[in-house]
Amino acid sequence: MKSDMGLIVKTMARATIPLIGIFGAYVVSHGHLTPGGGFQGGATIAGAGILFIIAFGLDEAKKRINKNLYSALEGLGGLVFLGAAMLGLGVAFFYNTLWHNGPILNGEPGTLLSAGYLPIMNLAVGLKVYTGLMSAVFAIALFRRWRK
Amino acid sequence: MIFTEFFYGAIAIALAAFITLIRIMLGPSVPDRVVGVDTLNTLVVAGMILLGAAYDRVIYIDIAIVYALLSYIGTLVIAKYLQGGLE
């Protein structure tokens, strides 16, 4: 049994994987304006990764997915979240100092560059959720002991 | 504020979804149920668009787009499992 799917599914995946990735990035980066946010956008981008594993097969995915990189990026997402939370540590933990007197991300409410540390935290959570879900799904797909 | 024309359309979609649900519950074989779930996904997307128009909220369309993209992956995963799975 071949590990990848037919020509139609592969071509369709080539067209839709960038679409899903871009839409997931939109959901993550507009988390403070529209429904969604870090988790939902990260899970959407992980859906693109699952489509890649399903359409192109495990052998192709083994060449493209580096587990050390994904593990490091998941840790980096958590660290960026904590770092953004500690920016206003002079007043309190999770004090939104970027919004009150920061140099960036304090624009008019309702625009993209507003809401202080929230876009940074959404990006961090999105990165963490995407890499975590992809690592978990890829590890489960590699787990094959029922043949023995 | 509910625009009634769109709301009636959503109710019609809900009726079709119930009929599809009967097929999913009664379907004698697994591919019958998969086709039923795929139809139900498309109907849910149509219902989300109509309800977004009925409640006059543009941001509800985003959720319909995400659902349309991810339901396709779900159907694909089931199809791959039924044709023999990974490896």
Side-chain angles (χ1 to χ4, degrees), chain A residues 7-37:
Chain A
L7 183 65
I8 298 175
V9 174
K10 274 191 195 169
T11 311
M12 193 71 196
R14 253 184 220 111
T16 45
I17 284 173
L19 209 68
I20 300 176
I22 289 170
F23 201 80
Y26 159 73
V27 169
V28 170
S29 59
H30 288 244
H32 52 297
L33 300 175
T34 58

PDB file of all heavy atoms in Angstrom, chain A residues 7-37:
ATOM      1  N   LEU A   7      -3.275  11.597  -7.428  1.00  0.00           N
ATOM      2  CA  LEU A   7      -2.802  12.850  -8.036  1.00  0.00           C
ATOM      3  C   LEU A   7      -3.727  14.013  -7.714  1.00  0.00           C
ATOM      4  O   LEU A   7      -3.262  15.127  -7.434  1.00  0.00           O
ATOM      5  CB  LEU A   7      -2.700  12.638  -9.546  1.00  0.00           C
ATOM      6  CG  LEU A   7      -2.155  13.826 -10.347  1.00  0.00           C
ATOM      7  CD1 LEU A   7      -0.719  14.075  -9.965  1.00  0.00           C
ATOM      8  CD2 LEU A   7      -2.263  13.536 -11.821  1.00  0.00           C
ATOM      9  N   ILE A   8      -5.039  13.745  -7.716  1.00  0.00           N
ATOM     10  CA  ILE A   8      -5.996  14.834  -7.486  1.00  0.00           C
ATOM     11  C   ILE A   8      -5.834  15.383  -6.075  1.00  0.00           C
ATOM     12  O   ILE A   8      -5.802  16.597  -5.854  1.00  0.00           O
ATOM     13  CB  ILE A   8      -7.434  14.329  -7.734  1.00  0.00           C
ATOM     14  CG1 ILE A   8      -7.584  13.897  -9.181  1.00  0.00           C
ATOM     15  CG2 ILE A   8      -8.433  15.399  -7.406  1.00  0.00           C
ATOM     16  CD1 ILE A   8      -8.911  13.281  -9.479  1.00  0.00           C
ATOM     17  N   VAL A   9      -5.700  14.452  -5.114  1.00  0.00           N
ATOM     18  CA  VAL A   9      -5.575  14.895  -3.722  1.00  0.00           C
ATOM     19  C   VAL A   9      -4.282  15.672  -3.516  1.00  0.00           C
ATOM     20  O   VAL A   9      -4.248  16.685  -2.823  1.00  0.00           O
ATOM     21  CB  VAL A   9      -5.659  13.679  -2.783  1.00  0.00           C
ATOM     22  CG1 VAL A   9      -5.379  14.095  -1.359  1.00  0.00           C
ATOM     23  CG2 VAL A   9      -7.003  13.035  -2.877  1.00  0.00           C
ATOM     24  N   LYS A  10      -3.195  15.202  -4.190  1.00  0.00           N
ATOM     25  CA  LYS A  10      -1.912  15.904  -4.033  1.00  0.00           C
ATOM     26  C   LYS A  10      -1.976  17.310  -4.610  1.00  0.00           C
ATOM     27  O   LYS A  10      -1.530  18.273  -3.979  1.00  0.00           O
ATOM     28  CB  LYS A  10      -0.811  15.116  -4.744  1.00  0.00           C
ATOM     29  CG  LYS A  10      -0.207  14.032  -3.905  1.00  0.00           C
ATOM     30  CD  LYS A  10       1.029  13.543  -4.628  1.00  0.00           C
ATOM     31  CE  LYS A  10       1.487  12.230  -4.069  1.00  0.00           C
ATOM     32  NZ  LYS A  10       2.510  11.644  -4.934  1.00  0.00           N
ATOM     33  N   THR A  11      -2.548  17.442  -5.804  1.00  0.00           N
ATOM     34  CA  THR A  11      -2.648  18.771  -6.412  1.00  0.00           C
ATOM     35  C   THR A  11      -3.537  19.679  -5.590  1.00  0.00           C
ATOM     36  O   THR A  11      -3.236  20.861  -5.384  1.00  0.00           O
ATOM     37  CB  THR A  11      -3.192  18.631  -7.841  1.00  0.00           C
ATOM     38  OG1 THR A  11      -2.455  17.616  -8.506  1.00  0.00           O
ATOM     39  CG2 THR A  11      -3.056  19.918  -8.592  1.00  0.00           C
ATOM     40  N   MET A  12      -4.644  19.092  -5.099  1.00  0.00           N
ATOM     41  CA  MET A  12      -5.557  19.859  -4.244  1.00  0.00           C
ATOM     42  C   MET A  12      -4.854  20.306  -2.972  1.00  0.00           C
ATOM     43  O   MET A  12      -5.024  21.447  -2.516  1.00  0.00           O
ATOM     44  CB  MET A  12      -6.736  18.954  -3.901  1.00  0.00           C
ATOM     45  CG  MET A  12      -7.901  19.634  -3.299  1.00  0.00           C
ATOM     46  SD  MET A  12      -8.720  20.635  -4.513  1.00  0.00           S
ATOM     47  CE  MET A  12      -9.686  21.625  -3.399  1.00  0.00           C
ATOM     48  N   ALA A  13      -4.023  19.431  -2.409  1.00  0.00           N
ATOM     49  CA  ALA A  13      -3.301  19.805  -1.189  1.00  0.00           C
ATOM     50  C   ALA A  13      -2.294  20.907  -1.480  1.00  0.00           C
ATOM     51  O   ALA A  13      -2.113  21.822  -0.683  1.00  0.00           O
ATOM     52  CB  ALA A  13      -2.593  18.585  -0.610  1.00  0.00           C
ATOM     53  N   ARG A  14      -1.640  20.833  -2.665  1.00  0.00           N
ATOM     54  CA  ARG A  14      -0.704  21.904  -3.029  1.00  0.00           C
ATOM     55  C   ARG A  14      -1.416  23.244  -3.088  1.00  0.00           C
ATOM     56  O   ARG A  14      -0.829  24.269  -2.772  1.00  0.00           O
ATOM     57  CB  ARG A  14      -0.079  21.590  -4.379  1.00  0.00           C
ATOM     58  CG  ARG A  14       1.353  21.164  -4.250  1.00  0.00           C
ATOM     59  CD  ARG A  14       2.017  20.937  -5.577  1.00  0.00           C
ATOM     60  NE  ARG A  14       2.853  19.765  -5.451  1.00  0.00           N
ATOM     61  CZ  ARG A  14       2.604  18.630  -6.058  1.00  0.00           C
ATOM     62  NH1 ARG A  14       1.569  18.534  -6.852  1.00  0.00           N
ATOM     63  NH2 ARG A  14       3.382  17.600  -5.869  1.00  0.00           N
ATOM     64  N   ALA A  15      -2.680  23.232  -3.526  1.00  0.00           N
ATOM     65  CA  ALA A  15      -3.409  24.502  -3.616  1.00  0.00           C
ATOM     66  C   ALA A  15      -3.923  24.949  -2.261  1.00  0.00           C
ATOM     67  O   ALA A  15      -3.941  26.138  -1.964  1.00  0.00           O
ATOM     68  CB  ALA A  15      -4.572  24.361  -4.602  1.00  0.00           C
ATOM     69  N   THR A  16      -4.371  23.996  -1.408  1.00  0.00           N
ATOM     70  CA  THR A  16      -5.068  24.415  -0.189  1.00  0.00           C
ATOM     71  C   THR A  16      -4.152  24.593   1.014  1.00  0.00           C
ATOM     72  O   THR A  16      -4.525  25.296   1.946  1.00  0.00           O
ATOM     73  CB  THR A  16      -6.161  23.410   0.181  1.00  0.00           C
ATOM     74  OG1 THR A  16      -5.640  22.107   0.063  1.00  0.00           O
ATOM     75  CG2 THR A  16      -7.364  23.585  -0.676  1.00  0.00           C
ATOM     76  N   ILE A  17      -2.972  23.956   1.019  1.00  0.00           N
ATOM     77  CA  ILE A  17      -2.102  24.116   2.193  1.00  0.00           C
ATOM     78  C   ILE A  17      -1.683  25.582   2.392  1.00  0.00           C
ATOM     79  O   ILE A  17      -1.774  26.091   3.517  1.00  0.00           O
ATOM     80  CB  ILE A  17      -0.895  23.171   2.104  1.00  0.00           C
ATOM     81  CG1 ILE A  17      -1.319  21.749   2.447  1.00  0.00           C
ATOM     82  CG2 ILE A  17       0.200  23.577   3.057  1.00  0.00           C
ATOM     83  CD1 ILE A  17      -0.242  20.731   2.221  1.00  0.00           C
ATOM     84  N   PRO A  18      -1.244  26.307   1.344  1.00  0.00           N
ATOM     85  CA  PRO A  18      -0.962  27.735   1.572  1.00  0.00           C
ATOM     86  C   PRO A  18      -2.198  28.518   1.986  1.00  0.00           C
ATOM     87  O   PRO A  18      -2.106  29.427   2.817  1.00  0.00           O
ATOM     88  CB  PRO A  18      -0.440  28.217   0.211  1.00  0.00           C
ATOM     89  CG  PRO A  18      -0.024  27.015  -0.491  1.00  0.00           C
ATOM     90  CD  PRO A  18      -0.898  25.919  -0.029  1.00  0.00           C
ATOM     91  N   LEU A  19      -3.361  28.150   1.422  1.00  0.00           N
ATOM     92  CA  LEU A  19      -4.601  28.856   1.777  1.00  0.00           C
ATOM     93  C   LEU A  19      -4.908  28.704   3.266  1.00  0.00           C
ATOM     94  O   LEU A  19      -5.192  29.688   3.968  1.00  0.00           O
ATOM     95  CB  LEU A  19      -5.733  28.263   0.938  1.00  0.00           C
ATOM     96  CG  LEU A  19      -6.889  29.162   0.596  1.00  0.00           C
ATOM     97  CD1 LEU A  19      -6.418  30.233  -0.353  1.00  0.00           C
ATOM     98  CD2 LEU A  19      -7.983  28.342  -0.050  1.00  0.00           C
ATOM     99  N   ILE A  20      -4.828  27.462   3.760  1.00  0.00           N
ATOM    100  CA  ILE A  20      -5.126  27.229   5.174  1.00  0.00           C
ATOM    101  C   ILE A  20      -4.079  27.912   6.044  1.00  0.00           C
ATOM    102  O   ILE A  20      -4.387  28.494   7.086  1.00  0.00           O
ATOM    103  CB  ILE A  20      -5.197  25.716   5.456  1.00  0.00           C
ATOM    104  CG1 ILE A  20      -6.290  25.071   4.613  1.00  0.00           C
ATOM    105  CG2 ILE A  20      -5.490  25.460   6.915  1.00  0.00           C
ATOM    106  CD1 ILE A  20      -6.356  23.587   4.760  1.00  0.00           C
ATOM    107  N   GLY A  21      -2.807  27.860   5.607  1.00  0.00           N
ATOM    108  CA  GLY A  21      -1.762  28.501   6.401  1.00  0.00           C
ATOM    109  C   GLY A  21      -1.959  30.002   6.496  1.00  0.00           C
ATOM    110  O   GLY A  21      -1.831  30.583   7.592  1.00  0.00           O
ATOM    111  N   ILE A  22      -2.292  30.623   5.369  1.00  0.00           N
ATOM    112  CA  ILE A  22      -2.487  32.078   5.384  1.00  0.00           C
ATOM    113  C   ILE A  22      -3.702  32.431   6.229  1.00  0.00           C
ATOM    114  O   ILE A  22      -3.688  33.390   7.005  1.00  0.00           O
ATOM    115  CB  ILE A  22      -2.630  32.607   3.946  1.00  0.00           C
ATOM    116  CG1 ILE A  22      -1.286  32.537   3.237  1.00  0.00           C
ATOM    117  CG2 ILE A  22      -3.123  34.032   3.942  1.00  0.00           C
ATOM    118  CD1 ILE A  22      -1.369  32.805   1.775  1.00  0.00           C
ATOM    119  N   PHE A  23      -4.772  31.625   6.114  1.00  0.00           N
ATOM    120  CA  PHE A  23      -5.965  31.953   6.909  1.00  0.00           C
ATOM    121  C   PHE A  23      -5.692  31.751   8.400  1.00  0.00           C
ATOM    122  O   PHE A  23      -6.173  32.518   9.232  1.00  0.00           O
ATOM    123  CB  PHE A  23      -7.151  31.099   6.463  1.00  0.00           C
ATOM    124  CG  PHE A  23      -8.443  31.709   6.866  1.00  0.00           C
ATOM    125  CD1 PHE A  23      -8.972  32.740   6.122  1.00  0.00           C
ATOM    126  CD2 PHE A  23      -9.089  31.294   8.004  1.00  0.00           C
ATOM    127  CE1 PHE A  23     -10.143  33.331   6.513  1.00  0.00           C
ATOM    128  CE2 PHE A  23     -10.269  31.881   8.387  1.00  0.00           C
ATOM    129  CZ  PHE A  23     -10.794  32.905   7.636  1.00  0.00           C
ATOM    130  N   GLY A  24      -4.909  30.705   8.734  1.00  0.00           N
ATOM    131  CA  GLY A  24      -4.548  30.514  10.139  1.00  0.00           C
ATOM    132  C   GLY A  24      -3.712  31.665  10.658  1.00  0.00           C
ATOM    133  O   GLY A  24      -3.909  32.142  11.786  1.00  0.00           O
ATOM    134  N   ALA A  25      -2.782  32.166   9.828  1.00  0.00           N
ATOM    135  CA  ALA A  25      -1.975  33.312  10.240  1.00  0.00           C
ATOM    136  C   ALA A  25      -2.847  34.547  10.421  1.00  0.00           C
ATOM    137  O   ALA A  25      -2.621  35.350  11.338  1.00  0.00           O
ATOM    138  CB  ALA A  25      -0.886  33.582   9.202  1.00  0.00           C
ATOM    139  N   TYR A  26      -3.870  34.688   9.572  1.00  0.00           N
ATOM    140  CA  TYR A  26      -4.816  35.808   9.731  1.00  0.00           C
ATOM    141  C   TYR A  26      -5.571  35.704  11.051  1.00  0.00           C
ATOM    142  O   TYR A  26      -5.716  36.693  11.780  1.00  0.00           O
ATOM    143  CB  TYR A  26      -5.791  35.819   8.560  1.00  0.00           C
ATOM    144  CG  TYR A  26      -7.067  36.552   8.817  1.00  0.00           C
ATOM    145  CD1 TYR A  26      -7.102  37.926   8.867  1.00  0.00           C
ATOM    146  CD2 TYR A  26      -8.251  35.847   9.047  1.00  0.00           C
ATOM    147  CE1 TYR A  26      -8.268  38.598   9.126  1.00  0.00           C
ATOM    148  CE2 TYR A  26      -9.416  36.507   9.294  1.00  0.00           C
ATOM    149  CZ  TYR A  26      -9.426  37.882   9.336  1.00  0.00           C
ATOM    150  OH  TYR A  26     -10.577  38.529   9.595  1.00  0.00           O
ATOM    151  N   VAL A  27      -6.030  34.482  11.375  1.00  0.00           N
ATOM    152  CA  VAL A  27      -6.777  34.303  12.625  1.00  0.00           C
ATOM    153  C   VAL A  27      -5.873  34.607  13.821  1.00  0.00           C
ATOM    154  O   VAL A  27      -6.289  35.246  14.794  1.00  0.00           O
ATOM    155  CB  VAL A  27      -7.351  32.872  12.703  1.00  0.00           C
ATOM    156  CG1 VAL A  27      -7.887  32.584  14.077  1.00  0.00           C
ATOM    157  CG2 VAL A  27      -8.435  32.691  11.684  1.00  0.00           C
ATOM    158  N   VAL A  28      -4.588  34.181  13.746  1.00  0.00           N
ATOM    159  CA  VAL A  28      -3.689  34.432  14.869  1.00  0.00           C
ATOM    160  C   VAL A  28      -3.404  35.911  15.011  1.00  0.00           C
ATOM    161  O   VAL A  28      -3.507  36.488  16.103  1.00  0.00           O
ATOM    162  CB  VAL A  28      -2.374  33.642  14.676  1.00  0.00           C
ATOM    163  CG1 VAL A  28      -1.362  34.069  15.696  1.00  0.00           C
ATOM    164  CG2 VAL A  28      -2.621  32.167  14.801  1.00  0.00           C
ATOM    165  N   SER A  29      -3.081  36.582  13.893  1.00  0.00           N
ATOM    166  CA  SER A  29      -2.619  37.964  14.010  1.00  0.00           C
ATOM    167  C   SER A  29      -3.772  38.930  14.267  1.00  0.00           C
ATOM    168  O   SER A  29      -3.535  40.021  14.779  1.00  0.00           O
ATOM    169  CB  SER A  29      -1.872  38.377  12.745  1.00  0.00           C
ATOM    170  OG  SER A  29      -2.720  38.249  11.629  1.00  0.00           O
ATOM    171  N   HIS A  30      -5.012  38.539  13.953  1.00  0.00           N
ATOM    172  CA  HIS A  30      -6.155  39.390  14.264  1.00  0.00           C
ATOM    173  C   HIS A  30      -6.907  38.884  15.493  1.00  0.00           C
ATOM    174  O   HIS A  30      -8.101  39.110  15.605  1.00  0.00           O
ATOM    175  CB  HIS A  30      -7.106  39.463  13.065  1.00  0.00           C
ATOM    176  CG  HIS A  30      -6.576  40.259  11.926  1.00  0.00           C
ATOM    177  ND1 HIS A  30      -7.143  41.417  11.483  1.00  0.00           N
ATOM    178  CD2 HIS A  30      -5.496  40.079  11.151  1.00  0.00           C
ATOM    179  CE1 HIS A  30      -6.442  41.910  10.481  1.00  0.00           C
ATOM    180  NE2 HIS A  30      -5.441  41.105  10.261  1.00  0.00           N
ATOM    181  N   GLY A  31      -6.182  38.192  16.388  1.00  0.00           N
ATOM    182  CA  GLY A  31      -6.868  37.595  17.538  1.00  0.00           C
ATOM    183  C   GLY A  31      -7.525  38.608  18.441  1.00  0.00           C
ATOM    184  O   GLY A  31      -8.469  38.275  19.152  1.00  0.00           O
ATOM    185  N   HIS A  32      -7.044  39.861  18.465  1.00  0.00           N
ATOM    186  CA  HIS A  32      -7.651  40.852  19.350  1.00  0.00           C
ATOM    187  C   HIS A  32      -8.755  41.639  18.670  1.00  0.00           C
ATOM    188  O   HIS A  32      -9.336  42.517  19.287  1.00  0.00           O
ATOM    189  CB  HIS A  32      -6.581  41.797  19.889  1.00  0.00           C
ATOM    190  CG  HIS A  32      -5.738  42.406  18.818  1.00  0.00           C
ATOM    191  ND1 HIS A  32      -4.946  41.647  17.998  1.00  0.00           N
ATOM    192  CD2 HIS A  32      -5.560  43.681  18.430  1.00  0.00           C
ATOM    193  CE1 HIS A  32      -4.315  42.447  17.155  1.00  0.00           C
ATOM    194  NE2 HIS A  32      -4.675  43.675  17.384  1.00  0.00           N
ATOM    195  N   LEU A  33      -9.051  41.335  17.393  1.00  0.00           N
ATOM    196  CA  LEU A  33     -10.092  42.085  16.688  1.00  0.00           C
ATOM    197  C   LEU A  33     -11.261  41.209  16.260  1.00  0.00           C
ATOM    198  O   LEU A  33     -12.404  41.659  16.280  1.00  0.00           O
ATOM    199  CB  LEU A  33      -9.508  42.745  15.430  1.00  0.00           C
ATOM    200  CG  LEU A  33      -8.372  43.727  15.680  1.00  0.00           C
ATOM    201  CD1 LEU A  33      -7.808  44.204  14.370  1.00  0.00           C
ATOM    202  CD2 LEU A  33      -8.841  44.887  16.506  1.00  0.00           C
ATOM    203  N   THR A  34     -10.983  39.969  15.848  1.00  0.00           N
ATOM    204  CA  THR A  34     -12.018  39.082  15.312  1.00  0.00           C
ATOM    205  C   THR A  34     -12.038  37.806  16.145  1.00  0.00           C
ATOM    206  O   THR A  34     -11.139  37.572  16.954  1.00  0.00           O
ATOM    207  CB  THR A  34     -11.719  38.733  13.847  1.00  0.00           C
ATOM    208  OG1 THR A  34     -10.443  38.117  13.787  1.00  0.00           O
ATOM    209  CG2 THR A  34     -11.724  39.959  12.969  1.00  0.00           C
ATOM    210  N   PRO A  35     -13.052  36.960  15.953  1.00  0.00           N
ATOM    211  CA  PRO A  35     -13.073  35.691  16.693  1.00  0.00           C
ATOM    212  C   PRO A  35     -11.837  34.854  16.391  1.00  0.00           C
ATOM    213  O   PRO A  35     -11.288  34.922  15.294  1.00  0.00           O
ATOM    214  CB  PRO A  35     -14.327  34.990  16.186  1.00  0.00           C
ATOM    215  CG  PRO A  35     -15.166  36.043  15.638  1.00  0.00           C
ATOM    216  CD  PRO A  35     -14.282  37.133  15.188  1.00  0.00           C
ATOM    217  N   GLY A  36     -11.448  34.056  17.343  1.00  0.00           N
ATOM    218  CA  GLY A  36     -10.241  33.255  17.167  1.00  0.00           C
ATOM    219  C   GLY A  36      -9.126  33.808  18.037  1.00  0.00           C
ATOM    220  O   GLY A  36      -9.374  34.533  18.993  1.00  0.00           O
ATOM    221  N   GLY A  37      -7.918  33.484  17.680  1.00  0.00           N
ATOM    222  CA  GLY A  37      -6.785  33.891  18.480  1.00  0.00           C
ATOM    223  C   GLY A  37      -5.692  32.861  18.357  1.00  0.00           C
ATOM    224  O   GLY A  37      -5.617  32.158  17.348  1.00  0.00           O
TER     225      GLY A  37
END
